[in-house]
Amino acid sequence: TAQFDIQAIRAQFPALNQDSDHPIVYLDSAATAQKPLAMIQTLDDYYRHQNANVHRGSHQLTASLTQRFEQARDTVQAFLNAGDRKEIIWTRGATEALNLIAQSWARSTLQPGDEILVSELEHHANIVPWQIVAEQTGATVVKIPMKPDCTLDMDAFHALLSAKTRIVAVAHITNVTGTRNPIETMIAAAHAQGAVVVVDGAQGIVHEAVDVQALDADFYVFSGHKLFGPSGIGVLYGKQALLEAMPPWHGGGKMVEKVSFDGTRFTGLPGKFEAGTPNISGVIALAESIHWLNSLDRAGAEQHIHALRQQALDGIKNIEGLRVIGLQPDASLFSFVVDGVHHQDIATLLDQQNITLRAGNHCAHPMLNALGLTGTLRVSFALYNTEDDVARFVTALHKACDLL
Ligand code: PMP
């Protein structure tokens, strides 16, 4: 692994190098990451030279492509240190993976009176699927409250856990404040009660090396697009025994062994959960993003990100009325508000200066409600950001706040 070299990395992101007179300052990587050339070229090359369907037909194109498609599964298995390649299921993203767990595992398992503990810090993608399945089964969604510092109230969590708890749903790292939840402790405590734990890794996978076996997570999900891959592809990791016992969710081609009007025999893992033509280009391009990421000094990248975040916090701390919300140690992002100024007005002024960040509720209404806020501005960093990006953000924010 090479040492972290910001200039060499930055050069690999065409979207950040389009207009040298007005370079974009991209501080919205928690929404979606920009894409490295290696990934973009993989997509281009696939459609130019290799396009075919997978797992169908017997011609040469489909055989070599199927092999490449299945190798991508091995890449993700190794990336997560999953025990078996069958435990890696392709989905459209974290959202679809969470819905799959809810509609297959939870829907076939939950009984009236069962409880699903969901943290108050969650993205809507890790709340709404549980509400839907609770409605369908008579189970109840119970909130694990957060403390004013935007960390989970662990005393409350331990008190809420009971024999009624069937599922604990929690983000590895949250998208509003970058809070890193104590998932190791939560998994151990949930297992002691016989509950399964669903970890939303949409943000966590980007900034930590994940070992699902060491974690002992029952399910771990993420989206490719935040991990420098294309959109429309994501991953569901599930423990083999759980996945084996789960009924299929979507029906169609490829997930069956034998279909007749008398009944259908489903295929085994992972095909059972992959009905229809998959996102082939997405799968192989995501694998390329992971290879690319693995070739980098990831620890060095995180140090770089932490230094940028500190530079930004130092640069804006004297702005009148500015409050950082639930500042978290070692996060890759932070959220802030400026008292008396609407977040959207600031975002608009920054946008006019080519500074791209996120303003709004971050798909986390419950968390924002708990904070008594309708929105924040969120600055999120990735390994391709530079000190110059931060300096331009700081200057632009001072200018915007002077104006407003
Ligand atoms: N969970 C978290 C913590 C997220 O940040 C996001 C994306 N903002 C999601 C889930 C949903 O991911 P996607 O929209 O890619 O399915």
Side-chain angles (χ1 to χ4, degrees):
T1 314
Q3 255 218 324
F4 187 75
D5 174 352
I6 180 60
Q7 289 315 325
I9 284 174
R10 178 91 175 182
Q12 295 173 43
F13 285 83
L16 301 174
N17 297 299
Q18 293 184 76
D19 179 349
S20 51
D21 292 337
H22 305 282
I24 184 176
V25 174
Y26 189 74
L27 296 173
D28 199 17
S29 295
T32 199
Q34 294 300 340
K35 313 305 178 196
L37 210 48
M39 192 290 277
I40 299 168
Q41 282 166 344
T42 299
L43 285 177
D44 183 83
D45 186 63
Y46 162 73
Y47 283 116
R48 278 178 200 273
H49 304 298
Q50 241 198 333
N51 180 53
N53 212 325
V54 289
H55 292 296
R56 288 163 178 80
S58 55
H59 52 75
Q60 279 177 41
L61 265 182
T62 191
S64 67
L65 183 64
T66 300
Q67 195 182 17
R68 196 170 172 200
F69 179 86
E70 289 303 326
Q71 277 165 358
R73 204 184 301 275
D74 299 335
T75 299
V76 172
Q77 181 202 341
F79 189 58
L80 295 178
N81 193 33
D84 196 297
R85 64 191 311 283
K86 293 197 203 84
E87 298 178 318
I88 305 302
I89 311 292
W90 303 121
T91 67
R92 283 194 294 140
T95 301
E96 189 178 65
L98 291 164
N99 279 280
L100 193 164
I101 303 164
Q103 287 304 309
S104 173
W105 191 83
R107 193 168 183 183
S108 64
T109 311
L110 294 178
Q111 303 288 327
D114 285 347
E115 292 184 350
I116 309 168
L117 301 193
V118 178
S119 111
E120 193 169 24
L121 303 168
E122 296 310 298
H123 187 280
H124 296 160
N126 203 20
I127 302 175
V128 182
W130 306 119
Q131 292 175 324
I132 292 173
V133 75
E135 183 76 33
Q136 290 163 334
T137 58
T140 312
V141 173
V142 178
K143 172 178 82 183
I144 311 166
M146 72 164 190
K147 297 192 292 187
D149 67 354
C150 296
T151 63
L152 279 184
D153 182 339
M154 289 299 284
D155 291 339
F157 168 67
H158 288 292
L160 287 169
L161 262 183
S162 77
K164 284 193 278 184
T165 311
R166 303 304 311 277
I167 300 171
V168 174
V170 63
H172 180 178
I173 294 177
T174 66
N175 61 312
V176 180
T177 49
T179 304
R180 202 277 189 198
N181 289 314
I183 50 176
E184 292 82 357
T185 310
M186 296 176 80
I187 289 169
H191 285 171
Q193 289 287 354
V196 306
V197 181
V198 177
V199 182
D200 172 1
Q203 300 292 337
I205 193 74
V206 185
H207 298 287
E208 277 186 30
V210 171
D211 179 336
V212 288
Q213 292 187 83
L215 259 183
D216 202 19
D218 299 291
F219 296 103
Y220 190 98
V221 309
F222 68 90
S223 293
H225 68 95
K226 295 184 203 268
L227 196 67
F228 312 101
S231 49
I233 185 68
V235 169
L236 162 65
Y237 158 81
K239 282 183 181 166
Q240 189 171 345
L242 291 169
L243 292 173
E244 297 276 13
M246 282 159 59
W249 179 34
H250 291 157
K254 217 196 91 173
M255 50 78 74
V256 288
E257 223 147 56
K258 179 89 183 84
V259 179
S260 81
F261 282 91
D262 299 326
T264 288
R265 208 165 55 240
F266 302 122
T267 189
L269 294 174
K272 182 170 82 171
F273 294 111
E274 294 180 355
T277 298
N279 181 352
I280 303 163
S281 60
V283 164
I284 59 181
L286 173 60
E288 184 58 37
S289 301
I290 292 173
H291 288 309
W292 171 82
L293 195 59
N294 282 337
S295 76
L296 304 177
D297 170 10
R298 283 190 84 188
E302 289 307 306
Q303 278 172 17
H304 170 73
I305 286 170
H306 296 158
L308 294 180
R309 191 181 84 129
Q310 198 52 51
Q311 182 194 344
L313 288 167
D314 290 343
I316 65 175
K317 68 172 182 239
N318 293 329
I319 293 178
E320 209 185 306
L322 185 139
R323 283 191 289 139
V324 177
I325 305 299
L327 186 64
Q328 296 294 316
D330 292 338
S332 63
L333 57 85
F334 64 87
S335 263
F336 67 96
V337 295
V338 181
D339 287 332
V341 186
H342 197 274
H343 50 85
Q344 193 54 57
D345 293 340
I346 294 177
T348 304
L349 286 181
L350 292 178
D351 193 38
Q352 285 165 5
Q353 302 176 67
N354 274 353
I355 316 284
T356 303
L357 46 64
R358 176 82 187 266
N361 59 56
H362 315 293
C363 296
H365 289 162
M367 180 172 180
L368 273 283
N369 278 343
L371 290 164
L373 298 169
T374 56
T376 73
L377 289 136
R378 182 187 67 189
V379 186
S380 56
F381 300 95
L383 43 71
Y384 43 65
N385 288 120
T386 60
E387 288 177 16
D388 186 53
D389 285 341
V390 177
R392 288 185 52 208
F393 158 70
V394 167
T395 306
L397 184 63
H398 277 274
K399 209 164 127 187
C401 291
D402 285 347
L403 262 170
L404 290 164

